[in-house]
């Protein structure tokens, strides 16, 4: 098969591992920078041009779309879908996953556990927003934040009010969530491929930090999920419509609480922590579907 990986950097760990896994299974792997694709749209003849040549005879696409280029990246994925090419992550599911508010509404409707979350339209009544999330401490997150950026822990009412007023003044959209103390600065990532958890790790924040992201200096170790955690991860992937995703959860006194469903999860942390060949699982998922 000819498999295209949509990635802006062929030297990233995840991109290199997908190329290695595909070539090992005798596929032609092509890395394409989606931001440099031109989309030619005409009646019943969708075309993608890359570096002056048409992208043709493509069997499948693996989108690795960064949050900052979601709009154009999903347009490229959509064009491949119009060309009847199988995509490992569908364009609509990718768009849904990037909208934190929409994601929470979908997960809530499905009956999945979530931290108590408040979203408003730049309300000046910040005291009620804090109260709605259960009172301080609260976690305040930018809707567009990734890798722990744009996430603030406000431990007092004054701190929370100051942060909310600052974000409101900048017209930056945020969500306010309850702080789950019993999680102790740790979360779980379950990596789901084609309806199966192929790997899971527990990420622990470094001392003095509450964000467990590996990009923020957190550490990771392999973990065996409880039945409730595995079921929550699989259901979250299903209701979000994602064939490949990383489901981030907190362990709370009242069961797993979902923080995020990531449609372009990195492979380095999960493969290092679990010792599993996640890239191979992704390639085999494509083989089953093409």
């Amino acid at each position: 098969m000819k498999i295209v990986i949509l990635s802006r950097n062929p030297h990233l760990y995840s991109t290199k591992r997908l190329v290695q896994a595909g070539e090992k299974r005798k596929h032609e792997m092509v890395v394409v920078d989606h931001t440099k694709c031109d989309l030619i749209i005409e009646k019943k003849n969708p075309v993608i041009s890359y570096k002056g040549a048409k992208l043709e005879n493509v069997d499948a696409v693996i989108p690795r779309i960064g949050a900052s280029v979601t709009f154009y990246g999903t347009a490229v994925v959509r064009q491949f879908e119009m060309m009847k090419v199988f995509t490992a992550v569908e364009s609509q599911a990718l768009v849904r996953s990037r909208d934190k508010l929409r994601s929470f509404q979908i997960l809530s409707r499905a009956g999945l556990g979530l931290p108590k979350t408040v979203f408003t339209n730049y309300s000046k009544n910040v005291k009620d927003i804090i109260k709605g999330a259960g009172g301080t401490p609260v976690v305040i997150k930018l809707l567009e934040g990734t890798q722990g950026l744009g996430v603030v822990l406000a431990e007092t009412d004054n701190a929370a009010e100051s942060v909310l007023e600052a974000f409101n003044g900048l017209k930056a959209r945020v969500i306010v969530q309850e702080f789950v103390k019993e999680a102790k600065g740790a979360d779980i990532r379950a990596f789901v491929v084609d309806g199966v958890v192929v790997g899971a790790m527990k990420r622990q924040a470094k001392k003095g930090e509450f964000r467990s992201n590996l990009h923020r200096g957190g550490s990771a170790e392999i973990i065996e999920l409880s039945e409730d955690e595995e079921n929550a991860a699989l259901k979250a992937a299903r209701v979000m419509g994602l064939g490949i995703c990383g489901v981030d959860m907190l362990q709370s006194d009242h069961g797993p609480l979902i923080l995020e469903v990531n449609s372009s999860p990195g492979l380095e942390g999960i493969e290092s922590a679990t010792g599993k060949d996640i890239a191979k699982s992704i390639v085999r998922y494509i083989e089953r579907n093409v």
Side-chain angles (χ1 to χ4, degrees):
M1 284 193 294
K2 182 177 180 180
I3 301 174
V4 166
I5 302 169
L6 296 177
S7 172
R8 297 174 73 186
N9 185 350
H11 304 295
L12 290 175
Y13 177 93
S14 299
T15 306
K16 288 194 294 185
R17 283 289 297 116
L18 289 165
V19 169
Q20 289 168 3
E23 289 179 344
K24 196 172 180 181
R25 297 185 65 79
K26 311 300 182 189
H27 302 301
E28 180 189 352
M29 306 300 290
V30 182
V31 179
V32 168
D33 182 346
H34 39 283
T35 65
K36 294 179 181 173
C37 289
D38 296 322
L39 310 182
I40 303 163
I41 303 166
E42 61 178 324
K43 186 177 179 181
K44 294 187 177 178
N45 185 32
V47 172
I48 299 175
S49 176
Y50 183 63
K51 294 185 176 178
K54 289 182 182 179
L55 283 174
E56 296 179 309
N57 304 315
V58 177
D59 296 294
V61 175
I62 305 173
R64 300 288 309 168
I65 310 292
S68 62
V69 291
T70 297
F71 174 78
Y72 198 75
T74 50
V76 174
V77 175
R78 203 157 45 240
Q79 190 85 342
F80 273 112
E81 290 169 347
M82 290 167 64
M83 294 162 61
K84 303 291 189 284
V85 175
F86 174 77
T87 175
V89 178
E90 293 181 1
S91 57
Q92 271 304 103
L94 205 159
V95 171
R96 273 196 300 268
S97 72
R98 289 287 156 81
D99 184 334
K100 283 192 176 76
L101 179 61
R102 188 176 178 189
S103 296
F104 276 118
Q105 289 172 324
I106 292 167
L107 297 167
S108 170
R109 185 173 62 201
L112 285 154
L114 303 164
K116 196 170 185 180
T117 302
V118 180
F119 177 80
T120 73
N121 191 36
Y122 308 121
S123 170
K124 289 183 169 59
N125 197 352
V126 291
K127 284 185 168 62
D128 280 352
I129 297 169
I130 297 161
K131 190 178 175 183
T136 52
V138 292
V139 177
I140 302 169
K141 297 180 180 179
L142 279 172
L143 276 182
E144 299 294 325
T146 59
Q147 298 177 350
L149 296 170
V151 182
V152 178
L153 172 62
E155 300 195 52
T156 66
D157 287 1
N158 283 342
E161 289 168 22
S162 296
V163 171
L164 281 171
E165 285 164 359
F167 279 137
N168 283 347
L170 294 168
K171 292 294 180 188
R173 293 201 178 275
V174 297
I175 55 176
V176 182
Q177 288 184 324
E178 67 171 311
F179 176 64
V180 182
K181 188 178 179 181
E182 62 266 28
K184 297 176 182 174
D187 71 5
I188 294 169
R189 166 159 288 184
F191 204 109
V192 180
V193 178
D194 201 15
V196 177
V197 175
V198 294
M201 62 178 172
K202 186 170 187 175
R203 302 179 297 191
Q204 181 67 53
K206 66 180 181 181
K207 192 173 181 181
E209 175 63 83
F210 77 100
R211 297 168 296 182
S212 59
N213 306 69
L214 301 184
H215 292 85
R216 307 263 72 79
S219 58
E221 62 181 10
I222 191 169
I223 186 175
E224 186 172 337
L225 298 181
S226 69
E227 189 174 345
D228 283 349
E229 289 160 354
E230 184 173 359
N231 288 340
L234 295 178
K235 188 173 183 179
R238 189 171 68 250
V239 300
M240 292 295 291
L242 289 164
I244 298 170
C245 63
V247 182
D248 296 341
M249 299 176 282
L250 293 177
Q251 293 176 307
S252 81
D253 291 340
H254 40 285
L257 304 177
I258 295 177
L259 287 173
E260 184 180 10
V261 184
N262 189 323
S263 55
S264 290
L267 300 182
E268 187 169 10
I270 192 82
E271 286 195 337
S272 299
T274 64
K276 293 185 177 179
D277 191 342
I278 307 292
K280 179 182 175 181
S281 297
I282 292 171
V283 173
R284 294 195 66 181
Y285 163 50
I286 289 169
E287 291 171 352
R288 288 192 296 272
N289 282 274
V290 176

